[in-house]
Amino acid sequence: MAPKTEVLTSLRALRQLRRTRGFYMAGVLLWTAAAVWTGWASPGSRQMWVSLLLAAVFAGLLGTASLWLHRLRINQPHRPVHHSATRGTSAATG
């Protein structure tokens, strides 16, 4: 059985990766929109290529974070769900 600190660390990592994935998705969308806008206004300009480069960087980061999140979910042990005692068992003992 894994120590509690290891389980807590993996839960924190999952939570952090979910948050960062949303940030990277917003970055991909914003930089892609900026590249499209700049490409339409002045095609082939340096600003358009920089926007495309930043969109590609954010897409790579999004892919990496999604892959890590998927691997962390697979490596988590399947623990049974803790259920409380039913009312019938507590009433029968009293």
Side-chain angles (χ1 to χ4, degrees), residues 29-43 45 47-48 51-52:
L29 293 174
L30 288 174
W31 283 113
T32 303
V36 168
W37 184 330
T38 309
W40 183 60
S42 54
S45 67
Q47 291 85 5
M48 182 197 77
S51 297
L52 282 175

Side-chain angles (χ1 to χ4, degrees), residues 2 5 11 13 29-30 34-35 38 41 43-44 50-51 60 63 77 80-81 84 88-89:
T5 55
L11 291 176
L29 293 174
L30 288 174
T38 309
V50 168
S51 297
V81 179
S84 62
T89 57

